[in-house]
Structures are given as C-alpha cells and as structure tokens.
Amino acid sequence: MAAAAPLPVLLLLVAVSLLVPAADAIYCDEDDCYDLLGVKQDANASEIKKAYYKLSLKHHPDKNPDPESRALFVKVANAYEILKDEETREKYDYAVAHPEEFFYNTAQYYRAYYGYKTDTRSVLIGLLLIVSAFQYINQLTSYSQAIESVKQTPAYRNRLKALEFERTGGISSKKKGNKQMDKKVEDELRNEVDLQIQGVQKPSVWNLCGVQLILLPYLIGKLLIWQICWFWRYRVKKSPYSWEDACYLTRTSLRMPANTWQNIDEFTKEDLVMKRLWEKANMERHIAEARRGSKQRRR
C-alpha cells in the first residue's frame, strides 16, 4: 500500500486548489470563449468573425447603453481576441483540455497574449541603454576611486605645493601659520593639476557600448579607409613611417594600451620608436635586453 502524503503537502495542495483559478479561467474568466461567441469549438475563422460582428452590433455601448450589455460586450470582445488568433486559440484549447497543467498554461497565456505586443527593437534598445548606464557608472566609480587614491600620495601634495609656490612667487599664505594650505586655494590648484593615472581612463560617453554600436558603421568605414591608406602609403609607395604611425606600430608591438603610451615621457617614446620594435629581430633583441636588465637588478 502506498504511503499517505504528509499533512503539509495535503494542506498545500488544498490551498493551491482554492486560491488558483481553473486553467481556462485566465482567458475568459469563468466563461467559455466559444459559448460567449455562440460558436462550436470546431468553428472556422470566418464563423468566429461573423458571430463577433453580430454580437457587437447588438451589445456595443453605442448601440445598447444597458450596463449588463456593456459588460457582456467586453467579454465577447475578449473572447474574439483570443479565438481570432490561431496560436492563442490553440493554447486556449490546450488549457481547456489539460486544466491540471495550470502553471504551464499560465505561462503560455502571458507569452501569447502579451509577448507579441512587445516590440523586440524596443526591448533591445532598452537593454542597451541599461547596460550603457551601468557601464558609465562603473567607469565613473573606478575613476573617482583612482583620483582619491592619487590625492593621498605625497607626490600629489608636492605638486600642489610646487604649483602654489609658482603662483604666489614663493610667498605662502600666513593665515594658518604656513602649516596647512588654504582650502579654497587648494581646490583651485587641484583643478589645475593634470592627473595622469595609468590603467584608468576618464569616463566618456563615446566609450559606452551603446554609442559604439550606433557608431559601428562609421567606425568600420573609417577602419577600411585607414587600412587602404596604410597599404597604399607603406606597401605600394614604400614611404617611411610617420611619427604617429611609428608610435602606433611600437605600441602595438609592445601590446601597450593607448592611455599607458600617452603617459610615457617623450624621451622614452623616442627611444622605443628608434628601436623599430615592429620588426621581429629588433623586438627579440629588445626582449633579451629587458630580461638581462631584470636579472642584473635582482642580483
């Protein structure tokens, strides 16, 4: 003999049966959609349409102001919306035939009745805007944290003092006994100090994925033009590399991010460019020299 179900399970089943409506009730409440239109379950689309127009002429609020007739018209219109669409009608018929599959039928109802009304393009645009907003907030938070970390370093304080010395000609403020920089003066000086933080870029809307996606055709076209010009200038005409292009080749050979390259002093840049690291032999020689220098420093 099979074991009896535990009492909590029985109570849960009873509660669900009392609180959850029948599977087909999510479509036409307690009514049958076919009965509301006065058609059989095997009626074709033409018969359903004729039945709806006949009932709408009788119960439309413009034709019949009776409140009960108006309520009936709402039910008839809802039944017609369900049965006129083949997909929705098929799901309704399945819900009537399988009332025990309530959760599945409910999911199918909301997917068929509301899902198709949502424009996929609007969903994608909304999702892109949300992702871009989170991306910008993340970039802004990272940049702000990096700025605050730099401001706590002695090097930053020394730069502020040097800038104050330059502006005042060596005459510092004596309001606070020369021990602490005036808050207003400090804020002004901070705005003049150009902070260069390696590995962290200042937030920009142009770097957001949404903006990049919009500009994708333009960026692809620009890249193609750049590739054609590069091929013509340096492969066909055999022209020497310009300074900007030589810097680009050096940076890509070193696999160095653009912002890191910008923070390098000009003397180091010139030294690296002169080594022509985009050529394989020169790059191998540079790596070997870097390894030897690293070993010597560890000794």
Side-chain angles (χ1 to χ4, degrees):
M1 182 180 294
L7 182 59
V9 175
L10 293 176
L11 294 176
L12 179 60
L13 293 175
V14 173
V16 169
S17 63
L18 293 176
L19 296 177
V20 174
D24 56 339
I26 57 179
Y27 288 89
C28 293
D29 295 330
E30 298 299 330
D31 300 303
D32 184 279
C33 294
Y34 292 101
D35 290 343
L36 286 172
L37 293 176
V39 296
K40 297 180 179 180
Q41 190 170 356
D42 58 352
N44 56 38
S46 178
E47 293 173 341
I48 292 174
K49 187 175 183 180
K50 289 180 181 179
Y52 168 70
Y53 283 148
K54 182 179 179 180
L55 292 172
S56 64
L57 290 175
K58 180 179 180 181
H59 299 287
H60 196 279
D62 294 339
K63 303 291 184 179
N64 192 339
D66 182 56
E68 293 184 1
S69 183
R70 178 177 301 185
L72 181 58
F73 173 77
V74 173
K75 293 183 177 182
V76 169
N78 178 59
Y80 177 67
E81 289 294 325
I82 293 171
L83 298 181
K84 75 174 183 178
D85 183 77
E86 290 296 331
E87 184 179 358
T88 310
R89 180 181 178 181
E90 181 180 349
K91 289 177 171 53
Y92 171 71
D93 291 341
Y94 185 88
V96 173
H98 303 83
E100 72 282 358
E101 300 180 18
F102 171 78
F103 295 105
Y104 172 78
N105 292 328
T106 302
Q108 291 294 94
Y109 165 78
Y110 285 108
R111 181 182 299 175
Y113 202 68
Y114 294 105
Y116 73 93
K117 297 181 181 180
T118 304
D119 190 356
T120 306
R121 292 171 297 180
S122 301
V123 174
L124 292 177
I125 292 174
L127 181 62
L128 197 60
L129 290 174
I130 293 174
V131 172
S132 299
F134 277 107
Q135 182 184 4
Y136 186 82
I137 293 173
N138 180 61
Q139 292 179 359
L140 183 61
T141 302
S142 301
Y143 183 75
S144 299
Q145 292 175 350
I147 290 292
E148 291 302 321
S149 298
V150 170
K151 288 181 179 180
Q152 304 302 322
T153 60
Y156 175 76
R157 304 295 303 180
N158 293 335
R159 291 174 65 181
L160 286 182
K161 291 179 181 178
L163 186 57
E164 182 191 25
F165 184 85
E166 179 182 348
R167 290 182 54 181
T168 60
I171 304 174
S172 56
S173 175
K174 297 183 180 181
K175 291 183 178 181
K176 297 189 178 182
N178 295 332
K179 293 184 179 181
Q180 186 177 3
M181 189 181 302
D182 184 79
K183 183 66 176 176
K184 184 177 180 181
V185 175
E186 184 177 0
D187 291 338
E188 293 177 356
L189 294 177
R190 282 181 174 178
N191 294 331
E192 297 183 22
V193 174
D194 183 21
L195 293 178
Q196 296 181 351
I197 307 174
Q198 296 186 4
V200 180
Q201 291 184 348
K202 190 173 182 179
S204 174
V205 294
W206 300 107
N207 296 328
L208 299 180
C209 59
V211 178
Q212 292 290 317
L213 185 61
I214 295 174
L215 298 177
L216 185 59
Y218 165 76
L219 296 175
I220 293 176
K222 185 178 179 180
L223 178 62
L224 289 175
I225 294 174
W226 181 82
Q227 291 282 1
I228 294 172
C229 293
W230 185 283
F231 180 81
W232 174 258
R233 186 181 300 119
Y234 301 125
R235 296 292 183 269
V236 179
K237 297 180 65 176
K238 303 297 183 180
S239 300
Y241 292 115
S242 65
W243 171 254
E244 291 79 9
D245 292 338
C247 289
Y248 169 77
L249 288 172
T250 304
R251 180 175 63 82
T252 53
S253 299
L254 294 171
R255 298 180 181 179
M256 185 181 298
N259 61 321
T260 304
W261 176 262
Q262 293 174 358
N263 293 330
I264 298 177
D265 60 89
E266 294 300 324
F267 177 79
T268 305
K269 286 182 182 178
E270 185 176 357
D271 179 64
L272 292 173
V273 171
M274 293 300 295
K275 291 182 178 180
R276 300 178 65 86
L277 299 178
W278 55 87
E279 297 178 2
K280 184 177 181 180
N282 296 337
M283 188 63 187
E284 292 176 351
R285 189 181 305 112
H286 174 74
I287 294 174
E289 292 176 355
R291 289 176 178 174
R292 284 197 298 267
S294 177
K295 290 180 180 179
Q296 291 176 359
R297 286 192 296 269
R298 287 199 298 265
R299 290 177 182 176

